Amino acid sequence: MKALLSVSDKTGVLDLARELHALGVQLISTGGTAKLLADNGLPVTEVAEVTGFPEMLDGRVKTLHPMVHGGLLARRDLPEHMAALQQHGIGTIDILVVNLYPFEATVAKPGCTLADAIENIDIGGPAMVRSAAKNWKDVAVLTDASQYSVVVSELKDGGKVSELTRFQLAVAAFNRISNYDAAISDYLSAVDVSAGVPGDAVEPQRLLFPGQSNGRFVKVQDLRYGENSHQQAALYRDLYPAPGSLVTGLQLQGKELSYNNIADADAAWECVKSFDVPACVIVKHANPCGVAVGANPLEAYSKAFQTDPTSAFGGIIAFNRPLDGEAANAVVKQFVEVLIATDFTPEALAVFKSKANVRLMKIAMPNVKGADAAARGGNTDWDNGRNAVDVKRVGSGILLQTADNHDMKLADLKVVTTKQPTAEEMNDLLFAWKVAKYVKSNAIVFCKNGMTMGVGAGQMSRLDSARIASIKAEHASLSLQGTAVASDAFFPFRDGLDVVVDAGATCVIQPGGSMRDQEVIDAANERGVAMVFTGVRHFRH
């Protein structure tokens, strides 16, 4: 039995080679890998001895030879294949251990030149991997160090790698090649050539959206059904998921998450993690129906629940802090589908132990905004190391856009009315604006003292959203007197403003930008309320 080892990442390869040698496997290797094995006392045959041809062109050509690919591709069950090998003196290769030049990590480094990128495009490695994977019935192909122990264990137990394992290794190999080629395509098709091809020695300018987008997703699980019971569904994650995203979470207990659970949980988590202070978000049908901040999780939850107790029934609840026993005892009194927190204390877990169907999810908050691309394998098409990208499916296509991650600063705001908001009102306006970003358009959000007081979402008319928010506050027995109101887009007429002021609002935050801005400003001055323009809208369709 022969094994060919040729790896860029040498993690675990020396131990693997020792195990293979102890099992009587003949070792063949290339370049640095061969030197590593030889320096550690292992008998190894260099590929150049097998091919009868030296490595050349700075290592660009070394394994691209019939002596290698014939040994990988020959079917052992076909006499004509074996006869051809014998005729040309080609030996079979039974195990291939290859990982590829670090292209993704290279292009993720600041200052990477075009020449650096090109030189880290592996040619011989993918060719060997494809050959071995195609011939999986006879060859085991290992493309990751995590696979080494499985293969060694099977060789020790039965003297060979099982058919199932060989097939699974082949699938993993083709997936790796697919991801590798996609990363190369993403990088090269994003190089800005508007002024010609950049020089080899400079870092090329990169387009935010590449000429070809190659999304890579890994299946997490099949789901029981989709949005409705007659639809089939599955959950996939990005190949390199961003830290702190929903798919990185750990489900601690409860039933399997449904399609709708996941969609709503993502909406709740994205909203709650945008707050720096302890916060709670309750979501129903993709819209926040209660959002609040507090001194601790219990206070935040109690305030959020007050906004709309009716809609909160069967909702998704998310906290941006660990859930303690005190807050858990309050939450457990309502019907909740999914409960998300950065962690759960033993007391909190004990509270929900009797509620076996409640899904508890633990998700770590990201340490920094915009995770480093290298940590995710340089997945440069979807984050470009600069901006997260949102994807929406349309018929036979996708829409890509940078994520709506605009962080509003106090200095960005423009007071356009005679009346100036008080410091307390300004805090409420900023809170309301942050919540409105996560409410489906048209969005109208009433807030006061760090909690939502009424939310109007997803209406065709902004006027209707304002009315609905008022109605919900009334049903929750909440007074809207002295509230701040956020509108995710401008008021096209003064009537929407009049509705929120009639309900009790004393200050309003909106993007501005309407042809009738002055009419709305005049109305605000007439009604004696403060109005602030952001210059940025937050449509959420």
Side-chain angles (χ1 to χ4, degrees):
M1 184 178 290
K2 295 178 184 176
L4 195 163
L5 299 85
S6 180
V7 294
S8 291
D9 179 359
K10 295 175 174 54
T11 302
V13 75
L14 184 58
D15 289 337
L16 172 65
R18 285 171 173 151
E19 295 278 14
L20 293 176
H21 173 62
L23 291 165
V25 179
Q26 180 183 341
L27 305 178
I28 306 169
S29 192
T30 62
T33 309
K35 184 177 186 304
L36 174 67
L37 303 187
D39 287 349
N40 282 273
L42 288 168
V44 58
T45 302
E46 290 217 35
V47 163
E49 296 180 45
V50 175
T51 63
F53 209 88
E55 291 186 16
M56 61 184 299
L57 307 181
D58 299 319
R60 286 189 172 199
V61 177
K62 50 190 171 186
T63 58
L64 297 170
H65 196 282
M67 297 296 289
V68 172
H69 287 272
L72 292 171
L73 282 165
R75 286 179 53 178
R76 313 317 194 242
D77 62 334
L78 294 181
E80 57 269 34
H81 279 205
M82 301 311 292
L85 292 189
Q86 186 175 12
Q87 178 184 352
H88 296 285
I90 299 173
T92 57
I93 299 172
D94 308 287
I95 299 171
L96 177 71
V97 183
V98 169
N99 54 55
L100 311 177
Y101 291 176
F103 179 84
E104 296 103 324
T106 298
V107 299
K109 294 176 182 176
C112 174
T113 66
L114 184 60
D116 290 336
I118 295 299
E119 283 307 310
N120 277 277
I121 297 176
D122 202 332
I123 302 300
M128 287 193 293
V129 169
R130 291 177 65 88
S131 293
K134 178 175 181 175
N135 199 28
W136 64 269
K137 288 190 174 182
D138 295 310
V139 182
V141 53
L142 290 72
T143 52
D144 190 90
S146 64
Q147 301 163 338
Y148 296 172
S149 60
V150 174
V151 169
V152 168
S153 178
E154 291 193 3
L155 288 172
K156 286 181 175 179
D157 289 345
K160 64 178 182 179
V161 182
S162 69
E163 182 178 65
L164 175 60
T165 296
R166 291 196 307 272
F167 180 75
Q168 291 172 330
L169 291 171
V171 172
F174 280 120
N175 287 343
R176 175 65 186 120
I177 296 300
S178 172
N179 294 331
Y180 193 73
D181 287 342
I184 296 169
S185 169
D186 293 337
Y187 176 84
L188 293 178
S189 64
V191 172
D192 187 353
V193 294
S194 58
V197 178
D200 284 346
V202 299
E203 181 179 8
Q205 293 294 313
R206 303 283 306 285
L207 301 172
L208 181 59
F209 299 106
Q212 177 168 313
S213 184
N214 302 282
R216 281 96 78 197
F217 303 95
V218 178
K219 188 175 181 180
V220 176
Q221 66 186 90
D222 287 308
L223 303 175
R224 288 177 296 161
Y225 52 83
E227 283 184 290
N228 302 290
S229 59
H230 62 276
Q231 295 173 270
Q232 295 178 307
L235 171 64
Y236 287 75
R237 65 163 175 81
D238 281 324
L239 182 63
Y240 305 109
S245 54
L246 182 77
V247 295
T248 66
L250 174 65
Q251 185 172 345
L252 302 180
Q253 76 161 49
K255 298 185 295 184
E256 181 181 302
L257 290 164
S258 71
Y259 182 99
N260 293 328
N261 288 155
I262 293 168
D264 286 350
D266 186 60
W269 178 244
E270 289 299 312
C271 182
V272 81
K273 76 178 185 181
S274 69
F275 292 93
D276 295 324
V277 297
C280 175
V281 174
I282 305 174
V283 162
K284 190 70 173 289
H285 295 302
N287 277 300
C289 60
V291 180
V293 295
N296 50 58
L298 175 61
E299 182 183 349
Y301 166 72
S302 299
K303 291 165 67 176
F305 183 72
Q306 287 180 60
T307 304
D308 191 352
T310 302
S311 297
F313 182 84
I316 311 293
I317 303 177
F319 293 88
N320 64 351
R321 293 290 191 276
L323 190 72
D324 55 30
E326 196 175 16
N329 276 309
V331 174
V332 77
K333 295 174 184 177
Q334 79 165 97
F335 172 45
V336 55
E337 289 278 2
V338 183
L339 182 56
I340 305 170
T342 60
D343 206 346
F344 294 81
T345 66
E347 294 78 12
L349 291 174
V351 168
F352 283 96
K353 190 172 183 180
S354 62
K355 302 283 186 177
N357 287 335
V358 176
R359 304 155 175 96
L360 303 184
M361 284 198 71
K362 173 183 172 180
I363 309 176
M365 288 283 284
N367 291 325
V368 294
K369 293 182 178 180
D372 182 74
R376 284 178 276 167
N379 189 16
T380 51
D381 68 325
W382 296 102
D383 62 41
N384 283 292
R386 295 163 283 177
N387 293 289
V389 173
D390 286 338
V391 184
K392 181 176 288 186
R393 196 77 166 90
V394 296
S396 297
I398 58 173
L399 292 170
L400 299 183
Q401 65 174 350
T402 56
D404 184 7
N405 54 13
H406 183 270
D407 189 15
M408 182 60 65
K409 305 295 184 185
L410 195 61
D412 298 331
L413 302 179
K414 180 182 179 183
V415 179
V416 296
T417 51
T418 303
K419 182 182 177 182
Q420 300 284 313
T422 66
E424 184 179 350
E425 287 176 328
M426 187 61 81
N427 285 334
D428 285 336
L429 287 170
L430 289 172
F431 177 85
W433 183 249
K434 183 170 285 191
V435 174
K437 174 180 170 181
Y438 297 97
V439 178
K440 298 286 187 181
S441 299
N442 288 314
I444 295 290
V445 181
F446 288 82
C447 296
K448 188 174 183 179
N449 296 329
M451 66 175 281
T452 48
M453 306 292 284
V455 179
Q459 299 304 304
M460 289 72 77
S461 161
R462 190 162 302 278
L463 199 61
D464 288 341
S465 289
R467 289 168 176 155
I468 288 171
S470 300
I471 292 169
K472 284 189 167 291
E474 182 182 355
H475 287 175
S477 299
L478 295 174
S479 171
L480 296 180
Q481 294 303 311
T483 52
V485 167
S487 173
D488 65 340
F490 61 67
F491 286 100
F493 303 97
R494 69 167 289 168
D495 52 2
L497 177 73
D498 284 327
V499 169
V500 300
V501 175
D502 288 343
T506 58
C507 54
V508 175
I509 187 168
Q510 59 134 320
S514 168
M515 292 176 60
R516 294 183 176 83
D517 271 351
Q518 193 57 52
E519 174 187 324
V520 179
I521 294 170
D522 291 343
N525 284 326
E526 175 190 321
R527 300 299 301 270
V529 298
M531 181 177 288
V532 175
F533 281 6
T534 66
V536 176
R537 77 178 187 197
H538 282 308
F539 274 160
R540 188 176 181 87
H541 288 171

